[in-house]
Short mmCIF file of all heavy atoms in Angstrom, two decimals:
data_model
loop_
_atom_site.label_atom_id
_atom_site.label_comp_id
_atom_site.label_asym_id
_atom_site.label_seq_id
_atom_site.Cartn_x
_atom_site.Cartn_y
_atom_site.Cartn_z
N MET A 45 -55.27 24.74 -181.36
CA MET A 45 -55.14 26.00 -182.12
C MET A 45 -56.29 26.93 -181.77
O MET A 45 -57.45 26.56 -181.92
CB MET A 45 -55.16 25.69 -183.63
CG MET A 45 -55.07 26.92 -184.50
SD MET A 45 -53.43 27.60 -184.68
CE MET A 45 -52.75 26.45 -185.89
N ARG A 46 -55.97 28.11 -181.32
CA ARG A 46 -57.03 29.06 -181.03
C ARG A 46 -57.49 29.73 -182.31
O ARG A 46 -56.77 29.77 -183.31
CB ARG A 46 -56.53 30.12 -180.04
CG ARG A 46 -56.16 29.53 -178.69
CD ARG A 46 -56.16 30.59 -177.62
NE ARG A 46 -55.29 31.72 -177.98
CZ ARG A 46 -55.20 32.83 -177.25
NH1 ARG A 46 -55.90 32.96 -176.15
NH2 ARG A 46 -54.41 33.82 -177.63
N LYS A 47 -58.70 30.25 -182.24
CA LYS A 47 -59.27 30.98 -183.37
C LYS A 47 -59.29 32.48 -183.06
O LYS A 47 -59.35 32.87 -181.89
CB LYS A 47 -60.69 30.50 -183.65
CG LYS A 47 -60.77 29.05 -184.08
CD LYS A 47 -60.20 28.86 -185.47
CE LYS A 47 -60.40 27.42 -185.94
NZ LYS A 47 -59.91 27.24 -187.33
N VAL A 48 -59.29 33.27 -184.09
CA VAL A 48 -59.26 34.72 -183.94
C VAL A 48 -60.40 35.34 -184.75
O VAL A 48 -60.61 34.99 -185.91
CB VAL A 48 -57.92 35.29 -184.45
CG1 VAL A 48 -57.95 36.80 -184.45
CG2 VAL A 48 -56.77 34.77 -183.61
N ALA A 49 -61.13 36.24 -184.12
CA ALA A 49 -62.08 37.10 -184.83
C ALA A 49 -61.54 38.52 -184.74
O ALA A 49 -61.19 38.99 -183.65
CB ALA A 49 -63.46 37.02 -184.20
N ASP A 50 -61.44 39.19 -185.86
CA ASP A 50 -60.83 40.52 -185.90
C ASP A 50 -61.80 41.49 -186.55
O ASP A 50 -62.15 41.34 -187.72
CB ASP A 50 -59.53 40.43 -186.69
CG ASP A 50 -58.72 41.73 -186.60
OD1 ASP A 50 -59.28 42.77 -186.21
OD2 ASP A 50 -57.52 41.67 -186.93
N CYS A 51 -62.22 42.49 -185.79
CA CYS A 51 -63.18 43.47 -186.32
C CYS A 51 -62.61 44.22 -187.53
O CYS A 51 -63.36 44.71 -188.35
CB CYS A 51 -63.58 44.46 -185.24
SG CYS A 51 -64.88 43.85 -184.16
N ARG A 52 -61.29 44.31 -187.60
CA ARG A 52 -60.72 45.03 -188.74
C ARG A 52 -60.95 44.28 -190.05
O ARG A 52 -60.82 44.86 -191.13
CB ARG A 52 -59.20 45.22 -188.52
CG ARG A 52 -58.90 46.15 -187.36
CD ARG A 52 -57.42 46.20 -187.08
NE ARG A 52 -56.90 44.86 -186.81
CZ ARG A 52 -55.63 44.58 -186.57
NH1 ARG A 52 -54.74 45.54 -186.58
NH2 ARG A 52 -55.25 43.35 -186.32
N GLU A 53 -61.26 42.97 -189.92
CA GLU A 53 -61.47 42.16 -191.12
C GLU A 53 -62.91 42.21 -191.60
O GLU A 53 -63.23 41.68 -192.65
CB GLU A 53 -61.09 40.69 -190.84
CG GLU A 53 -59.65 40.50 -190.40
CD GLU A 53 -58.67 40.56 -191.55
OE1 GLU A 53 -59.12 40.72 -192.70
OE2 GLU A 53 -57.46 40.46 -191.30
N MET A 54 -63.77 42.80 -190.78
CA MET A 54 -65.19 42.84 -191.14
C MET A 54 -65.60 44.29 -191.39
O MET A 54 -65.12 45.19 -190.73
CB MET A 54 -66.04 42.27 -189.98
CG MET A 54 -65.63 40.89 -189.55
SD MET A 54 -66.72 40.30 -188.24
CE MET A 54 -65.63 39.16 -187.38
N PRO A 55 -66.47 44.47 -192.34
CA PRO A 55 -66.97 45.83 -192.57
C PRO A 55 -67.67 46.34 -191.32
O PRO A 55 -68.51 45.65 -190.76
CB PRO A 55 -67.98 45.66 -193.71
CG PRO A 55 -67.74 44.31 -194.29
CD PRO A 55 -67.13 43.48 -193.18
N ASN A 56 -67.30 47.52 -190.86
CA ASN A 56 -68.03 48.08 -189.72
C ASN A 56 -67.94 49.59 -189.76
O ASN A 56 -67.00 50.17 -190.28
CB ASN A 56 -67.55 47.49 -188.39
CG ASN A 56 -66.18 47.99 -187.99
OD1 ASN A 56 -66.04 49.07 -187.40
ND2 ASN A 56 -65.14 47.23 -188.32
N ASP A 57 -68.96 50.22 -189.20
CA ASP A 57 -69.12 51.66 -189.30
C ASP A 57 -68.39 52.41 -188.20
O ASP A 57 -68.26 53.62 -188.27
CB ASP A 57 -70.61 52.03 -189.21
CG ASP A 57 -71.41 51.41 -190.34
OD1 ASP A 57 -70.82 51.15 -191.39
OD2 ASP A 57 -72.61 51.18 -190.14
N VAL A 58 -67.97 51.69 -187.19
CA VAL A 58 -67.52 52.38 -185.99
C VAL A 58 -66.00 52.37 -185.85
O VAL A 58 -65.47 52.81 -184.84
CB VAL A 58 -68.17 51.76 -184.72
CG1 VAL A 58 -69.68 52.00 -184.76
CG2 VAL A 58 -67.86 50.28 -184.60
N GLY A 59 -65.29 51.88 -186.86
CA GLY A 59 -63.84 51.89 -186.79
C GLY A 59 -63.30 50.99 -185.69
O GLY A 59 -62.25 51.25 -185.13
N CYS A 60 -64.02 49.92 -185.42
CA CYS A 60 -63.65 49.02 -184.33
C CYS A 60 -62.43 48.19 -184.72
O CYS A 60 -62.34 47.70 -185.84
CB CYS A 60 -64.83 48.12 -183.99
SG CYS A 60 -64.52 47.05 -182.59
N THR A 61 -61.50 48.04 -183.79
CA THR A 61 -60.28 47.27 -184.06
C THR A 61 -60.13 46.09 -183.11
O THR A 61 -59.04 45.52 -182.97
CB THR A 61 -59.04 48.17 -183.92
OG1 THR A 61 -58.98 48.67 -182.59
CG2 THR A 61 -59.10 49.32 -184.90
N LEU A 62 -61.22 45.72 -182.45
CA LEU A 62 -61.14 44.65 -181.46
C LEU A 62 -60.75 43.33 -182.11
O LEU A 62 -61.21 42.99 -183.20
CB LEU A 62 -62.50 44.50 -180.78
CG LEU A 62 -62.53 43.49 -179.62
CD1 LEU A 62 -61.77 44.02 -178.42
CD2 LEU A 62 -63.96 43.16 -179.24
N MET A 63 -59.92 42.57 -181.40
CA MET A 63 -59.57 41.22 -181.83
C MET A 63 -59.87 40.27 -180.67
O MET A 63 -59.49 40.55 -179.53
CB MET A 63 -58.10 41.14 -182.22
CG MET A 63 -57.73 39.87 -182.92
SD MET A 63 -56.12 39.98 -183.74
CE MET A 63 -55.04 39.79 -182.32
N ILE A 64 -60.57 39.20 -180.98
CA ILE A 64 -60.96 38.23 -179.96
C ILE A 64 -60.32 36.90 -180.31
O ILE A 64 -60.44 36.42 -181.43
CB ILE A 64 -62.50 38.07 -179.92
CG1 ILE A 64 -63.17 39.42 -179.61
CG2 ILE A 64 -62.91 37.02 -178.90
CD1 ILE A 64 -64.68 39.40 -179.86
N ALA A 65 -59.64 36.29 -179.34
CA ALA A 65 -58.98 35.01 -179.59
C ALA A 65 -59.38 34.01 -178.51
O ALA A 65 -59.55 34.36 -177.34
CB ALA A 65 -57.46 35.18 -179.60
N GLY A 66 -59.53 32.76 -178.91
CA GLY A 66 -59.85 31.70 -177.95
C GLY A 66 -60.34 30.48 -178.69
O GLY A 66 -60.18 30.37 -179.91
N GLU A 67 -60.92 29.56 -177.92
CA GLU A 67 -61.53 28.40 -178.56
C GLU A 67 -62.67 28.86 -179.45
O GLU A 67 -63.33 29.87 -179.17
CB GLU A 67 -62.06 27.44 -177.49
CG GLU A 67 -60.98 26.83 -176.61
CD GLU A 67 -60.03 25.93 -177.38
OE1 GLU A 67 -60.47 25.28 -178.35
OE2 GLU A 67 -58.84 25.88 -177.03
N GLU A 68 -62.93 28.10 -180.51
CA GLU A 68 -63.88 28.55 -181.53
C GLU A 68 -65.23 28.95 -180.93
O GLU A 68 -65.76 30.03 -181.25
CB GLU A 68 -64.08 27.44 -182.57
CG GLU A 68 -65.04 27.84 -183.67
CD GLU A 68 -65.03 26.86 -184.83
OE1 GLU A 68 -64.01 26.20 -185.04
OE2 GLU A 68 -66.07 26.76 -185.51
N ASP A 69 -65.79 28.10 -180.08
CA ASP A 69 -67.11 28.42 -179.53
C ASP A 69 -67.07 29.66 -178.64
O ASP A 69 -68.02 30.43 -178.60
CB ASP A 69 -67.65 27.22 -178.74
CG ASP A 69 -68.09 26.09 -179.66
OD1 ASP A 69 -68.22 26.32 -180.88
OD2 ASP A 69 -68.30 24.98 -179.16
N GLU A 70 -65.95 29.83 -177.93
CA GLU A 70 -65.81 31.02 -177.09
C GLU A 70 -65.77 32.29 -177.93
O GLU A 70 -66.37 33.31 -177.59
CB GLU A 70 -64.52 30.93 -176.27
CG GLU A 70 -64.48 29.81 -175.27
CD GLU A 70 -63.09 29.64 -174.65
OE1 GLU A 70 -62.10 30.10 -175.24
OE2 GLU A 70 -63.02 29.04 -173.58
N VAL A 71 -65.03 32.20 -179.03
CA VAL A 71 -64.87 33.38 -179.88
C VAL A 71 -66.19 33.73 -180.56
O VAL A 71 -66.56 34.91 -180.63
CB VAL A 71 -63.76 33.13 -180.94
CG1 VAL A 71 -63.70 34.30 -181.91
CG2 VAL A 71 -62.43 32.93 -180.25
N VAL A 72 -66.91 32.71 -181.04
CA VAL A 72 -68.19 32.98 -181.70
C VAL A 72 -69.15 33.64 -180.71
O VAL A 72 -69.82 34.63 -181.04
CB VAL A 72 -68.79 31.69 -182.27
CG1 VAL A 72 -70.23 31.93 -182.75
CG2 VAL A 72 -67.93 31.17 -183.43
N ARG A 73 -69.19 33.14 -179.49
CA ARG A 73 -70.11 33.70 -178.50
C ARG A 73 -69.71 35.13 -178.14
O ARG A 73 -70.56 36.03 -178.12
CB ARG A 73 -70.13 32.81 -177.24
CG ARG A 73 -71.14 33.26 -176.22
CD ARG A 73 -71.28 32.25 -175.09
NE ARG A 73 -70.03 32.08 -174.37
CZ ARG A 73 -69.37 30.92 -174.24
NH1 ARG A 73 -69.84 29.83 -174.79
NH2 ARG A 73 -68.25 30.86 -173.57
N ALA A 74 -68.44 35.34 -177.88
CA ALA A 74 -67.98 36.67 -177.49
C ALA A 74 -68.15 37.66 -178.64
O ALA A 74 -68.54 38.82 -178.43
CB ALA A 74 -66.52 36.61 -177.05
N ALA A 75 -67.85 37.21 -179.85
CA ALA A 75 -67.96 38.10 -181.00
C ALA A 75 -69.42 38.44 -181.28
O ALA A 75 -69.73 39.57 -181.68
CB ALA A 75 -67.31 37.47 -182.23
N ALA A 76 -70.32 37.50 -181.08
CA ALA A 76 -71.74 37.78 -181.29
C ALA A 76 -72.23 38.80 -180.28
O ALA A 76 -72.93 39.76 -180.63
CB ALA A 76 -72.55 36.49 -181.19
N GLU A 77 -71.83 38.63 -179.02
CA GLU A 77 -72.25 39.58 -177.99
C GLU A 77 -71.64 40.97 -178.25
O GLU A 77 -72.29 41.99 -178.08
CB GLU A 77 -71.86 39.05 -176.61
CG GLU A 77 -72.68 37.83 -176.22
CD GLU A 77 -72.15 37.13 -174.98
OE1 GLU A 77 -71.10 37.54 -174.45
OE2 GLU A 77 -72.80 36.14 -174.55
N HIS A 78 -70.40 40.97 -178.68
CA HIS A 78 -69.74 42.23 -179.03
C HIS A 78 -70.43 42.90 -180.22
O HIS A 78 -70.66 44.11 -180.22
CB HIS A 78 -68.27 41.96 -179.34
CG HIS A 78 -67.58 43.11 -180.01
ND1 HIS A 78 -67.20 44.24 -179.33
CD2 HIS A 78 -67.23 43.31 -181.29
CE1 HIS A 78 -66.64 45.08 -180.19
NE2 HIS A 78 -66.64 44.55 -181.39
N GLY A 79 -70.78 42.09 -181.22
CA GLY A 79 -71.44 42.64 -182.40
C GLY A 79 -72.77 43.28 -182.07
O GLY A 79 -73.12 44.33 -182.62
N VAL A 80 -73.50 42.65 -181.16
CA VAL A 80 -74.80 43.20 -180.77
C VAL A 80 -74.61 44.50 -180.00
O VAL A 80 -75.28 45.50 -180.28
CB VAL A 80 -75.57 42.16 -179.92
CG1 VAL A 80 -76.80 42.80 -179.29
CG2 VAL A 80 -75.97 40.97 -180.78
N SER A 81 -73.67 44.51 -179.06
CA SER A 81 -73.55 45.68 -178.17
C SER A 81 -72.85 46.84 -178.85
O SER A 81 -73.15 47.99 -178.56
CB SER A 81 -72.83 45.30 -176.88
OG SER A 81 -71.50 44.90 -177.15
N VAL A 82 -71.91 46.56 -179.74
CA VAL A 82 -71.10 47.64 -180.32
C VAL A 82 -71.51 47.96 -181.75
O VAL A 82 -71.50 49.11 -182.17
CB VAL A 82 -69.60 47.27 -180.26
CG1 VAL A 82 -68.75 48.33 -180.94
CG2 VAL A 82 -69.17 47.09 -178.81
N HIS A 83 -71.84 46.92 -182.53
CA HIS A 83 -72.08 47.13 -183.96
C HIS A 83 -73.56 47.16 -184.32
O HIS A 83 -73.90 47.29 -185.49
CB HIS A 83 -71.37 46.03 -184.77
CG HIS A 83 -69.88 46.07 -184.63
ND1 HIS A 83 -69.08 46.89 -185.39
CD2 HIS A 83 -69.04 45.41 -183.79
CE1 HIS A 83 -67.80 46.71 -185.02
NE2 HIS A 83 -67.76 45.83 -184.05
N GLY A 84 -74.43 47.00 -183.34
CA GLY A 84 -75.85 47.05 -183.62
C GLY A 84 -76.36 45.87 -184.41
O GLY A 84 -77.39 45.97 -185.08
N GLU A 85 -75.61 44.76 -184.36
CA GLU A 85 -76.06 43.56 -185.07
C GLU A 85 -77.21 42.90 -184.31
O GLU A 85 -77.43 43.16 -183.13
CB GLU A 85 -74.90 42.55 -185.18
CG GLU A 85 -73.70 43.07 -185.93
CD GLU A 85 -73.91 43.08 -187.44
OE1 GLU A 85 -74.95 42.58 -187.90
OE2 GLU A 85 -73.01 43.57 -188.14
N VAL A 86 -77.93 42.06 -185.02
CA VAL A 86 -78.98 41.26 -184.40
C VAL A 86 -78.47 39.83 -184.28
O VAL A 86 -78.08 39.22 -185.28
CB VAL A 86 -80.27 41.30 -185.24
CG1 VAL A 86 -81.33 40.38 -184.62
CG2 VAL A 86 -80.79 42.72 -185.36
N ASP A 87 -78.44 39.35 -183.03
CA ASP A 87 -77.92 38.01 -182.81
C ASP A 87 -78.87 36.98 -183.40
O ASP A 87 -80.07 37.01 -183.15
CB ASP A 87 -77.78 37.77 -181.30
CG ASP A 87 -76.88 36.58 -181.00
OD1 ASP A 87 -76.46 35.89 -181.95
OD2 ASP A 87 -76.60 36.36 -179.81
N SER A 88 -78.33 36.12 -184.23
CA SER A 88 -79.14 35.10 -184.88
C SER A 88 -78.23 33.95 -185.28
O SER A 88 -77.00 34.06 -185.26
CB SER A 88 -79.81 35.66 -186.14
OG SER A 88 -78.84 35.97 -187.12
N PHE A 89 -78.86 32.85 -185.65
CA PHE A 89 -78.07 31.72 -186.12
C PHE A 89 -77.22 32.11 -187.32
O PHE A 89 -76.05 31.75 -187.41
CB PHE A 89 -79.02 30.57 -186.48
CG PHE A 89 -78.30 29.35 -187.01
CD1 PHE A 89 -77.75 28.42 -186.14
CD2 PHE A 89 -78.15 29.16 -188.37
CE1 PHE A 89 -77.06 27.31 -186.63
CE2 PHE A 89 -77.47 28.05 -188.87
CZ PHE A 89 -76.93 27.13 -188.00
N GLU A 90 -77.82 32.88 -188.24
CA GLU A 90 -77.08 33.27 -189.44
C GLU A 90 -75.90 34.17 -189.10
O GLU A 90 -74.83 34.07 -189.69
CB GLU A 90 -78.02 33.99 -190.42
CG GLU A 90 -79.04 33.08 -191.09
CD GLU A 90 -80.19 32.72 -190.15
OE1 GLU A 90 -80.38 33.41 -189.11
OE2 GLU A 90 -80.89 31.73 -190.44
N TYR A 91 -76.12 35.10 -188.14
CA TYR A 91 -75.04 36.00 -187.76
C TYR A 91 -73.88 35.22 -187.15
O TYR A 91 -72.71 35.42 -187.48
CB TYR A 91 -75.56 37.05 -186.78
CG TYR A 91 -74.51 38.03 -186.34
CD1 TYR A 91 -73.76 38.72 -187.28
CD2 TYR A 91 -74.26 38.25 -184.99
CE1 TYR A 91 -72.78 39.62 -186.88
CE2 TYR A 91 -73.30 39.15 -184.58
CZ TYR A 91 -72.56 39.83 -185.53
OH TYR A 91 -71.59 40.71 -185.13
N ARG A 92 -74.21 34.28 -186.26
CA ARG A 92 -73.15 33.47 -185.65
C ARG A 92 -72.46 32.60 -186.69
O ARG A 92 -71.24 32.38 -186.62
CB ARG A 92 -73.73 32.63 -184.51
CG ARG A 92 -74.17 33.51 -183.35
CD ARG A 92 -74.46 32.74 -182.09
NE ARG A 92 -74.89 33.67 -181.04
CZ ARG A 92 -74.57 33.53 -179.75
NH1 ARG A 92 -73.85 32.51 -179.36
NH2 ARG A 92 -74.97 34.40 -178.87
N ALA A 93 -73.21 32.12 -187.67
CA ALA A 93 -72.58 31.32 -188.73
C ALA A 93 -71.60 32.18 -189.53
O ALA A 93 -70.53 31.71 -189.93
CB ALA A 93 -73.65 30.73 -189.63
N SER A 94 -71.98 33.43 -189.77
CA SER A 94 -71.08 34.30 -190.53
C SER A 94 -69.82 34.61 -189.72
O SER A 94 -68.73 34.73 -190.29
CB SER A 94 -71.80 35.59 -190.93
OG SER A 94 -71.93 36.46 -189.84
N ILE A 95 -69.96 34.75 -188.41
CA ILE A 95 -68.78 34.94 -187.57
C ILE A 95 -67.88 33.71 -187.65
O ILE A 95 -66.68 33.81 -187.83
CB ILE A 95 -69.20 35.19 -186.10
CG1 ILE A 95 -69.91 36.54 -185.97
CG2 ILE A 95 -67.98 35.13 -185.18
CD1 ILE A 95 -70.58 36.75 -184.63
N ARG A 96 -68.51 32.53 -187.55
CA ARG A 96 -67.73 31.29 -187.56
C ARG A 96 -66.94 31.17 -188.87
O ARG A 96 -65.79 30.74 -188.87
CB ARG A 96 -68.67 30.10 -187.37
CG ARG A 96 -67.99 28.82 -186.93
CD ARG A 96 -69.00 27.73 -186.65
NE ARG A 96 -69.83 27.99 -185.47
CZ ARG A 96 -69.49 27.62 -184.22
NH1 ARG A 96 -68.37 26.97 -184.01
NH2 ARG A 96 -70.28 27.87 -183.21
N ARG A 97 -67.57 31.58 -189.96
CA ARG A 97 -66.88 31.50 -191.26
C ARG A 97 -65.70 32.47 -191.34
O ARG A 97 -64.77 32.25 -192.10
CB ARG A 97 -67.86 31.82 -192.40
CG ARG A 97 -68.77 30.67 -192.78
CD ARG A 97 -69.42 30.91 -194.14
NE ARG A 97 -70.23 32.13 -194.15
CZ ARG A 97 -71.49 32.21 -193.79
NH1 ARG A 97 -72.11 31.12 -193.36
NH2 ARG A 97 -72.14 33.34 -193.83
N SER A 98 -65.79 33.56 -190.58
CA SER A 98 -64.75 34.58 -190.69
C SER A 98 -63.56 34.32 -189.77
O SER A 98 -62.57 35.03 -189.84
CB SER A 98 -65.34 35.96 -190.38
OG SER A 98 -65.57 36.09 -188.98
N LEU A 99 -63.68 33.31 -188.92
CA LEU A 99 -62.59 33.04 -187.98
C LEU A 99 -61.34 32.58 -188.71
O LEU A 99 -61.41 31.91 -189.74
CB LEU A 99 -63.01 31.96 -186.97
CG LEU A 99 -64.18 32.30 -186.07
CD1 LEU A 99 -64.41 31.16 -185.09
CD2 LEU A 99 -63.96 33.60 -185.33
N LYS A 100 -60.21 32.95 -188.13
CA LYS A 100 -58.93 32.49 -188.66
C LYS A 100 -58.19 31.75 -187.56
O LYS A 100 -58.46 31.95 -186.38
CB LYS A 100 -58.07 33.69 -189.08
CG LYS A 100 -58.67 34.49 -190.20
CD LYS A 100 -57.83 35.72 -190.39
CE LYS A 100 -57.97 36.27 -191.78
NZ LYS A 100 -56.98 37.30 -192.02
N ASP A 101 -57.22 30.96 -187.98
CA ASP A 101 -56.34 30.34 -187.00
C ASP A 101 -55.42 31.41 -186.42
O ASP A 101 -54.94 32.28 -187.14
CB ASP A 101 -55.49 29.26 -187.65
CG ASP A 101 -56.33 28.09 -188.12
OD1 ASP A 101 -57.42 27.87 -187.56
OD2 ASP A 101 -55.90 27.39 -189.05
N GLU A 102 -55.22 31.33 -185.12
CA GLU A 102 -54.29 32.27 -184.51
C GLU A 102 -52.87 31.94 -184.96
O GLU A 102 -52.45 30.79 -184.96
CB GLU A 102 -54.39 32.16 -182.99
CG GLU A 102 -53.52 33.19 -182.29
CD GLU A 102 -53.62 33.06 -180.78
OE1 GLU A 102 -53.36 31.96 -180.28
OE2 GLU A 102 -53.96 34.05 -180.12
N GLU A 103 -52.14 32.96 -185.32
CA GLU A 103 -50.76 32.78 -185.74
C GLU A 103 -49.87 33.67 -184.90
O GLU A 103 -50.26 34.78 -184.54
CB GLU A 103 -50.59 33.20 -187.21
CG GLU A 103 -51.43 32.39 -188.16
CD GLU A 103 -51.43 33.04 -189.55
OE1 GLU A 103 -50.57 33.90 -189.80
OE2 GLU A 103 -52.29 32.67 -190.35
N PRO A 104 -48.67 33.22 -184.62
CA PRO A 104 -47.73 34.11 -183.92
C PRO A 104 -47.52 35.37 -184.74
O PRO A 104 -47.30 35.31 -185.95
CB PRO A 104 -46.44 33.28 -183.86
CG PRO A 104 -46.88 31.86 -184.03
CD PRO A 104 -48.10 31.92 -184.92
N GLY A 105 -47.64 36.51 -184.10
CA GLY A 105 -47.43 37.76 -184.81
C GLY A 105 -48.65 38.25 -185.55
O GLY A 105 -48.62 39.30 -186.18
N TYR A 106 -49.75 37.48 -185.50
CA TYR A 106 -50.94 37.94 -186.21
C TYR A 106 -51.39 39.27 -185.63
O TYR A 106 -51.37 39.46 -184.42
CB TYR A 106 -52.07 36.92 -186.09
CG TYR A 106 -53.32 37.37 -186.79
CD1 TYR A 106 -53.43 37.23 -188.16
CD2 TYR A 106 -54.35 37.98 -186.09
CE1 TYR A 106 -54.55 37.67 -188.82
CE2 TYR A 106 -55.48 38.43 -186.75
CZ TYR A 106 -55.58 38.28 -188.11
OH TYR A 106 -56.69 38.73 -188.76
N GLY A 107 -51.80 40.17 -186.50
CA GLY A 107 -52.26 41.46 -186.05
C GLY A 107 -51.19 42.53 -186.17
O GLY A 107 -51.45 43.70 -186.00
N ALA A 108 -49.98 42.11 -186.53
CA ALA A 108 -48.92 43.09 -186.68
C ALA A 108 -49.16 43.96 -187.92
O ALA A 108 -48.74 45.10 -187.97
CB ALA A 108 -47.57 42.40 -186.79
N ARG A 109 -49.81 43.39 -188.91
CA ARG A 109 -50.14 44.17 -190.11
C ARG A 109 -51.44 43.64 -190.69
O ARG A 109 -51.81 42.51 -190.43
CB ARG A 109 -49.00 44.07 -191.13
CG ARG A 109 -48.76 42.66 -191.60
CD ARG A 109 -47.52 42.60 -192.46
NE ARG A 109 -47.13 41.21 -192.72
CZ ARG A 109 -47.66 40.48 -193.68
NH1 ARG A 109 -48.60 40.93 -194.43
NH2 ARG A 109 -47.27 39.23 -193.84
N PRO A 110 -52.12 44.45 -191.47
CA PRO A 110 -53.38 44.00 -192.04
C PRO A 110 -53.17 42.77 -192.91
O PRO A 110 -52.20 42.66 -193.65
CB PRO A 110 -53.83 45.20 -192.89
CG PRO A 110 -53.10 46.36 -192.33
CD PRO A 110 -51.80 45.83 -191.81
N SER A 111 -54.10 41.85 -192.80
CA SER A 111 -53.97 40.62 -193.59
C SER A 111 -54.22 40.91 -195.07
O SER A 111 -55.09 41.68 -195.44
CB SER A 111 -54.98 39.60 -193.10
OG SER A 111 -55.04 38.52 -193.98
N GLU A 112 -53.45 40.27 -195.90
CA GLU A 112 -53.66 40.39 -197.34
C GLU A 112 -54.39 39.17 -197.88
O GLU A 112 -54.79 39.15 -199.04
CB GLU A 112 -52.31 40.51 -198.05
CG GLU A 112 -51.63 41.84 -197.79
CD GLU A 112 -50.15 41.67 -197.51
OE1 GLU A 112 -49.62 40.56 -197.69
OE2 GLU A 112 -49.53 42.65 -197.09
N ALA A 113 -54.53 38.16 -197.05
CA ALA A 113 -55.10 36.91 -197.53
C ALA A 113 -56.62 36.91 -197.51
O ALA A 113 -57.25 36.17 -198.23
CB ALA A 113 -54.58 35.74 -196.68
N TYR A 114 -57.19 37.77 -196.68
CA TYR A 114 -58.64 37.72 -196.53
C TYR A 114 -59.31 38.32 -197.76
O TYR A 114 -58.90 39.39 -198.22
CB TYR A 114 -59.05 38.52 -195.29
CG TYR A 114 -60.43 38.18 -194.78
CD1 TYR A 114 -60.65 37.05 -194.03
CD2 TYR A 114 -61.51 39.01 -195.10
CE1 TYR A 114 -61.92 36.73 -193.58
CE2 TYR A 114 -62.77 38.70 -194.66
CZ TYR A 114 -62.98 37.58 -193.89
OH TYR A 114 -64.24 37.26 -193.45
N PRO A 115 -60.29 37.62 -198.31
CA PRO A 115 -60.91 38.11 -199.54
C PRO A 115 -61.65 39.42 -199.37
O PRO A 115 -62.20 39.66 -198.32
CB PRO A 115 -61.89 37.00 -199.94
CG PRO A 115 -62.09 36.20 -198.70
CD PRO A 115 -60.85 36.35 -197.86
ZN1 LIG B 298 -66.04 45.38 -183.10
#
């Protein structure tokens, strides 16, 4: 099962809609690098942990509409 990180699910100032899918470690690494370069985040253990917590399982059709399940 691949994991998905979706910028639309995270608060961000730049209106970013990027979605990253892949193996969990790949997604965490790519999302951390993306967060630093695009969102001005500071890469840290805590930041990567927060990304890991926000990952979802990839579902067929995911991204077709905004998720209602995310708190
Ligand atoms: Zn983004």
